[in-house]
Amino acid sequence: MPPTWLDQLERNLEERLNAFLRSNPQQEQLLREQHLRDRQQDLQRRRAQLQEQAEEHRRQLLALASEVRDWQARCSRARAAGAKDLAGRAEAHVQSLMDQGRQLWGELEGLGQQFQDLNTQLNQLQQTAAKQQQGRSLEEDWALFEAKQELEELRRRQGFS
């Protein structure tokens, strides 16, 4: 299938961007730094979502534990009163609740593992950012500073800030 006009446009824009970045290395550095910041923000956002999910799982587990205790007490009362059929049904319900608890616990452990993975990725990004900043010379830092100043001035003139 021949490339569509959209594919050609995308390829053309990509080539222009690459040419621009080759002729403006400070802009390329800005782009890399922005990419790192964006990735870091995405990871932090995902981390906050995982924390919310974990908190919800904890609340569900606590509610489930309370419900299990209540049904175990009911089961004991039914058994003590000689209502074997009712006690058996209550025990089955307790087992079902316990199964739900085990499933929630497993999901919570999975969330914990994802959280650790995200922390590892965040630490790696922070180390990468620190290395990039350490590896630059004063001249590169100054060029980067000027590029940022120019970018801010352009944004102000265009009414973006």
Side-chain angles (χ1 to χ4, degrees):
M1 183 169 128
T4 65
W5 67 270
L6 187 58
D7 293 333
Q8 291 173 344
L9 177 63
E10 184 179 345
R11 199 171 21 258
N12 187 357
L13 290 173
E14 186 74 28
E15 288 171 8
R16 285 184 179 192
L17 175 63
N18 288 334
F20 173 78
L21 292 176
R22 278 192 303 275
S23 63
N24 297 288
Q26 68 274 22
Q27 293 297 321
E28 186 173 14
Q29 181 64 29
L30 281 174
L31 188 62
R32 276 195 300 267
E33 287 177 2
Q34 184 62 45
H35 176 71
L36 276 176
R37 281 191 299 274
D38 291 345
R39 179 74 177 130
Q40 223 169 4
Q41 288 174 351
D42 288 343
L43 289 173
Q44 288 170 342
R45 198 173 9 263
R46 178 70 180 133
R47 186 174 153 197
Q49 289 172 342
L50 285 175
Q51 285 176 319
E52 288 174 16
Q53 287 176 337
E55 192 57 40
E56 178 60 28
H57 277 61
R58 285 185 202 103
R59 278 192 291 277
Q60 290 175 359
L61 278 168
L62 289 173
L64 207 51
S66 176
E67 196 173 346
V68 165
R69 278 191 302 274
D70 293 345
W71 278 101
Q72 284 175 332
R74 290 175 182 172
C75 182
S76 295
R77 279 191 358 223
R79 215 177 294 115
K84 291 181 182 180
D85 183 45
L86 187 57
R89 289 176 46 209
E91 285 175 3
H93 186 64
V94 167
Q95 253 335 104
S96 171
L97 293 173
M98 297 286 279
D99 291 342
Q100 288 176 21
R102 280 188 281 281
Q103 181 181 354
L104 273 173
W105 188 257
E107 291 173 9
L108 187 59
E109 286 177 335
L111 290 174
Q113 183 59 49
Q114 289 178 29
F115 190 81
Q116 286 178 341
D117 293 344
L118 283 175
N119 276 340
T120 300
Q121 290 177 31
L122 275 168
N123 288 336
Q124 289 171 345
L125 278 177
Q126 288 168 349
Q127 289 171 358
T128 301
K131 284 179 185 176
Q132 281 184 353
Q133 288 180 350
Q134 287 174 350
R136 292 192 313 238
S137 69
L138 177 59
E139 289 294 324
E140 290 171 323
D141 282 341
W142 186 255
L144 194 56
F145 169 77
E146 287 180 329
K148 286 179 181 178
Q149 294 292 311
E150 289 175 27
L151 185 58
E152 282 302 315
E153 180 61 30
L154 282 172
R155 284 183 179 155
R156 275 193 293 277
R157 276 193 246 141
Q158 296 296 324
F160 289 119
S161 18

Coordinates of all heavy atoms in Angstrom, one line a residue, residues 83-119:
A83 N -28.8 -25.3 64.5 CA -29.2 -25.1 63.1 C -28.0 -25.5 62.2 O -27.3 -24.6 61.7 CB -29.6 -23.7 63.0
K84 N -27.8 -26.8 62.0 CA -26.7 -27.3 61.2 C -26.7 -26.8 59.8 O -25.7 -26.4 59.2 CB -26.6 -28.8 61.3 CG -26.3 -29.3 62.7 CD -26.2 -30.8 62.7 CE -25.9 -31.3 64.1 NZ -25.8 -32.7 64.2
D85 N -27.9 -26.8 59.2 CA -28.0 -26.4 57.8 C -27.6 -24.9 57.7 O -26.9 -24.5 56.8 CB -29.5 -26.6 57.3 CG -29.6 -26.2 55.8 OD1 -28.7 -26.6 55.0 OD2 -30.6 -25.5 55.5
L86 N -28.1 -24.1 58.5 CA -27.8 -22.6 58.5 C -26.3 -22.4 58.8 O -25.7 -21.6 58.2 CB -28.7 -21.9 59.5 CG -28.6 -20.4 59.5 CD1 -29.0 -19.8 58.1 CD2 -29.5 -19.8 60.6
A87 N -25.8 -23.2 59.8 CA -24.4 -23.1 60.1 C -23.5 -23.5 58.9 O -22.5 -22.8 58.6 CB -24.1 -23.9 61.3
G88 N -23.9 -24.5 58.2 CA -23.2 -24.9 57.0 C -23.2 -23.9 55.9 O -22.2 -23.6 55.3
R89 N -24.4 -23.3 55.7 CA -24.5 -22.2 54.7 C -23.6 -21.0 55.1 O -23.0 -20.4 54.3 CB -25.9 -21.8 54.5 CG -26.7 -22.9 53.7 CD -28.2 -22.6 53.6 NE -28.5 -21.3 53.1 CZ -29.6 -20.6 53.5 NH1 -30.5 -21.2 54.2 NH2 -29.9 -19.4 53.0
A90 N -23.6 -20.7 56.4 CA -22.8 -19.6 56.9 C -21.3 -19.8 56.7 O -20.6 -19.0 56.3 CB -23.2 -19.3 58.4
E91 N -20.9 -21.1 57.0 CA -19.5 -21.5 56.8 C -19.1 -21.4 55.3 O -18.0 -20.9 55.0 CB -19.3 -22.9 57.3 CG -19.3 -23.0 58.8 CD -19.1 -24.5 59.3 OE1 -19.0 -25.4 58.4 OE2 -19.2 -24.7 60.5
A92 N -20.0 -21.8 54.4 CA -19.7 -21.7 53.0 C -19.6 -20.2 52.6 O -18.7 -19.8 51.8 CB -20.9 -22.3 52.2
H93 N -20.4 -19.3 53.2 CA -20.3 -17.9 52.9 C -19.0 -17.3 53.5 O -18.3 -16.5 52.8 CB -21.5 -17.2 53.5 CG -21.5 -15.7 53.2 ND1 -21.7 -15.2 51.9 CD2 -21.4 -14.6 54.0 CE1 -21.7 -13.9 51.9 NE2 -21.5 -13.5 53.1
V94 N -18.6 -17.8 54.7 CA -17.3 -17.4 55.2 C -16.2 -17.8 54.3 O -15.3 -17.0 54.0 CB -17.1 -17.9 56.7 CG1 -15.7 -17.8 57.1 CG2 -18.1 -17.3 57.6
Q95 N -16.2 -19.0 53.8 CA -15.2 -19.5 52.8 C -15.2 -18.6 51.6 O -14.1 -18.3 51.1 CB -15.5 -20.9 52.4 CG -14.6 -22.0 53.0 CD -13.3 -21.6 53.4 OE1 -13.0 -21.5 54.6 NE2 -12.3 -21.4 52.5
S96 N -16.3 -18.2 51.1 CA -16.4 -17.4 49.9 C -15.8 -16.0 50.2 O -15.0 -15.5 49.4 CB -17.9 -17.2 49.5 OG -18.0 -16.2 48.5
L97 N -16.1 -15.5 51.4 CA -15.5 -14.2 51.8 C -13.9 -14.3 51.9 O -13.2 -13.4 51.5 CB -16.1 -13.7 53.1 CG -17.6 -13.3 53.0 CD1 -18.1 -13.0 54.4 CD2 -17.8 -12.1 52.1
M98 N -13.5 -15.4 52.5 CA -12.1 -15.7 52.6 C -11.4 -15.8 51.3 O -10.3 -15.2 51.1 CB -11.8 -16.9 53.4 CG -12.3 -16.9 54.9 SD -11.4 -15.9 55.9 CE -10.1 -17.0 56.3
D99 N -12.0 -16.4 50.3 CA -11.5 -16.5 48.9 C -11.4 -15.1 48.3 O -10.4 -14.8 47.7 CB -12.4 -17.4 48.1 CG -12.3 -18.8 48.4 OD1 -11.4 -19.2 49.2 OD2 -13.2 -19.6 48.0
Q100 N -12.4 -14.3 48.6 CA -12.3 -12.9 48.1 C -11.2 -12.1 48.7 O -10.5 -11.4 48.0 CB -13.6 -12.1 48.4 CG -14.8 -12.6 47.6 CD -16.1 -11.9 48.0 OE1 -16.1 -10.8 48.7 NE2 -17.2 -12.4 47.7
G101 N -11.0 -12.4 50.0 CA -9.9 -11.7 50.7 C -8.5 -12.2 50.1 O -7.6 -11.3 50.0
R102 N -8.4 -13.5 49.9 CA -7.1 -13.9 49.3 C -6.9 -13.3 47.9 O -5.7 -12.9 47.6 CB -7.1 -15.5 49.2 CG -6.8 -16.2 50.5 CD -6.6 -17.7 50.3 NE -7.9 -18.4 50.2 CZ -8.6 -18.7 51.3 NH1 -8.3 -18.3 52.5 NH2 -9.8 -19.3 51.1
Q103 N -7.9 -13.2 47.1 CA -7.8 -12.6 45.8 C -7.4 -11.1 46.0 O -6.5 -10.6 45.3 CB -9.1 -12.7 45.0 CG -9.0 -12.1 43.6 CD -10.3 -12.1 42.9 OE1 -11.3 -12.7 43.3 NE2 -10.4 -11.5 41.7
L104 N -8.1 -10.4 46.8 CA -7.7 -9.0 47.1 C -6.3 -8.8 47.6 O -5.5 -7.9 47.2 CB -8.6 -8.3 48.1 CG -9.9 -7.7 47.6 CD1 -10.8 -7.3 48.7 CD2 -9.7 -6.6 46.6
W105 N -5.9 -9.7 48.4 CA -4.5 -9.7 49.0 C -3.5 -9.9 47.9 O -2.5 -9.2 47.8 CB -4.3 -10.7 50.1 CG -3.0 -10.6 50.8 CD1 -1.9 -11.4 50.6 CD2 -2.7 -9.6 51.7 NE1 -0.9 -11.0 51.4 CE2 -1.4 -9.9 52.1 CE3 -3.4 -8.6 52.3 CZ2 -0.7 -9.1 53.0 CZ3 -2.7 -7.8 53.2 CH2 -1.4 -8.0 53.6
G106 N -3.8 -10.9 47.0 CA -2.9 -11.1 45.8 C -2.8 -9.9 44.9 O -1.7 -9.5 44.4
E107 N -4.0 -9.2 44.7 CA -3.9 -8.0 43.9 C -3.1 -6.9 44.6 O -2.4 -6.1 43.9 CB -5.4 -7.5 43.6 CG -6.2 -8.4 42.7 CD -7.6 -8.1 42.6 OE1 -8.0 -7.0 43.1 OE2 -8.4 -8.9 42.0
L108 N -3.3 -6.8 45.9 CA -2.5 -5.8 46.6 C -1.0 -6.1 46.5 O -0.2 -5.1 46.4 CB -3.0 -5.8 48.1 CG -2.4 -4.7 49.0 CD1 -2.8 -3.3 48.5 CD2 -2.9 -4.9 50.4
E109 N -0.6 -7.3 46.6 CA 0.8 -7.6 46.4 C 1.3 -7.2 45.0 O 2.4 -6.7 44.9 CB 1.0 -9.1 46.7 CG 1.0 -9.5 48.1 CD 1.1 -11.0 48.3 OE1 0.8 -11.8 47.4 OE2 1.5 -11.4 49.4
G110 N 0.4 -7.5 44.0 CA 0.8 -7.1 42.6 C 0.9 -5.6 42.5 O 1.9 -5.1 41.9
L111 N 0.1 -4.8 43.2 CA 0.2 -3.4 43.2 C 1.5 -2.9 43.9 O 2.1 -2.0 43.4 CB -1.0 -2.7 43.9 CG -2.4 -2.8 43.2 CD1 -3.5 -2.3 44.1 CD2 -2.3 -2.1 41.9
G112 N 1.8 -3.6 44.9 CA 3.1 -3.3 45.6 C 4.3 -3.6 44.7 O 5.2 -2.8 44.7
Q113 N 4.2 -4.6 43.9 CA 5.3 -4.9 43.0 C 5.4 -3.8 41.9 O 6.5 -3.4 41.6 CB 5.2 -6.3 42.4 CG 6.3 -6.7 41.5 CD 7.6 -6.7 42.2 OE1 7.8 -7.3 43.2 NE2 8.6 -6.1 41.6
Q114 N 4.3 -3.4 41.4 CA 4.2 -2.4 40.4 C 4.8 -1.1 41.0 O 5.5 -0.3 40.3 CB 2.8 -2.2 39.9 CG 2.3 -3.3 39.0 CD 0.8 -3.0 38.6 OE1 0.4 -1.9 38.5 NE2 0.1 -4.1 38.4
F115 N 4.4 -0.8 42.2 CA 4.9 0.4 42.9 C 6.4 0.4 43.0 O 7.1 1.4 42.7 CB 4.2 0.5 44.3 CG 4.5 1.8 44.9 CD1 3.7 2.9 44.6 CD2 5.4 1.9 45.9 CE1 3.9 4.1 45.3 CE2 5.6 3.2 46.5 CZ 4.9 4.2 46.2
Q116 N 7.0 -0.8 43.4 CA 8.4 -0.9 43.5 C 9.1 -0.7 42.1 O 10.1 0.0 42.0 CB 8.8 -2.2 44.0 CG 8.6 -2.4 45.5 CD 9.0 -3.8 46.0 OE1 9.1 -4.7 45.3 NE2 9.1 -3.8 47.3
D117 N 8.5 -1.3 41.1 CA 9.0 -1.1 39.7 C 9.0 0.4 39.3 O 10.0 0.9 38.7 CB 8.2 -1.9 38.7 CG 8.3 -3.4 38.9 OD1 9.3 -3.8 39.6 OD2 7.5 -4.2 38.4
L118 N 7.9 1.1 39.6 CA 7.8 2.5 39.3 C 8.9 3.3 40.0 O 9.5 4.2 39.5 CB 6.4 3.0 39.6 CG 5.3 2.7 38.6 CD1 4.0 3.2 39.1 CD2 5.6 3.3 37.2
N119 N 9.1 3.0 41.3 CA 10.1 3.7 42.1 C 11.5 3.4 41.4 O 12.3 4.4 41.4 CB 10.1 3.2 43.5 CG 9.1 3.9 44.3 OD1 8.6 5.0 44.0 ND2 8.7 3.3 45.5

